[in-house]
Amino acid sequence: MYSTDLDGDMNMDVLSASIGGGKIVWYENTDGQGTFGGDQIIISVNDARSVFSFDVDGDGDMDVLSGFSSSVVWSENLDGNGNFGSYQTISSLAAGVNEVFASDIDGDGDMDVLSSSAWTDGSKIAWYENLHPLAIQDNLQSSFSLYPNPVQETLPRN
């Protein structure tokens, strides 16, 4: 679950991933006071696990990052009003993805995508470098340096 303004009305809406329901949905905060409309389906998929929101394509509105089954995908907010296009695959190799997130990992000023997963080939943390809007490169890391690094340690991938 994640909260952000998906329709540009300055009210915090809610995103949800439903494993049993098989969908990624959002709920509009209709009055800014916590009154929510019905679910608006962004994606219907099996094993929906995680959602996050950030402006993937740099057009000024909040897009949706999702994780399900072995996929990490994003859905474009087409008009800034919460109308979403078909999802675009970032990776289909994230076996058992259970979390997606975005952060500027490499300090280059744009948001990169992270996923964590755990299925047949062990636990993984994956970093997908955002080379520029709409071009995310898969970088599976065998270790991550902690930054800032007060402990001078490396986080190994198991």
Side-chain angles (χ1 to χ4, degrees):
M1 187 165 29
Y2 190 76
S3 180
T4 189
D5 180 12
L6 290 171
D7 56 3
D9 63 0
M10 305 300 285
N11 298 328
M12 296 303 284
D13 306 307
V14 174
L15 279 166
S16 175
S18 174
I19 295 172
K23 56 189 174 181
I24 305 291
V25 300
W26 75 281
Y27 301 89
E28 181 183 3
N29 185 345
T30 58
D31 62 2
Q33 302 297 310
T35 302
F36 292 93
D39 64 349
Q40 299 183 53
I41 298 172
I42 299 170
I43 305 173
S44 292
V45 294
N46 291 324
D47 201 31
R49 295 281 178 150
S50 182
V51 291
F52 190 78
S53 184
F54 73 106
D55 186 7
V56 176
D57 55 5
D59 65 356
D61 57 33
M62 300 301 281
D63 304 304
V64 174
L65 181 63
S66 307
F68 58 89
S69 299
S70 295
S71 296
V72 176
V73 304
W74 73 281
S75 301
E76 181 182 3
N77 190 340
L78 298 172
D79 57 6
N81 294 317
N83 296 304
F84 292 88
S86 299
Y87 67 80
Q88 306 296 312
T89 301
I90 295 170
S91 176
S92 59
L93 302 174
V97 66
N98 53 25
E99 192 71 35
V100 293
F101 191 74
S103 181
D104 184 7
I105 296 298
D106 54 2
D108 65 356
D110 59 28
M111 298 289 275
D112 306 304
V113 173
L114 296 165
S115 68
S116 64
S117 56
W119 265 0
T120 57
D121 54 352
S123 298
K124 285 186 185 177
I125 296 173
W127 163 39
Y128 311 93
E129 182 181 8
N130 189 348
L131 300 175
H132 52 80
L134 304 179
I136 297 178
Q137 174 183 330
D138 183 357
N139 288 289
L140 292 174
Q141 300 293 312
S142 59
S143 66
F144 285 91
S145 294
L146 301 176
Y147 181 84
N149 194 346
V151 293
Q152 304 296 320
E153 300 265 343
T154 300
L155 177 64
R157 180 184 76 172
N158 293 328

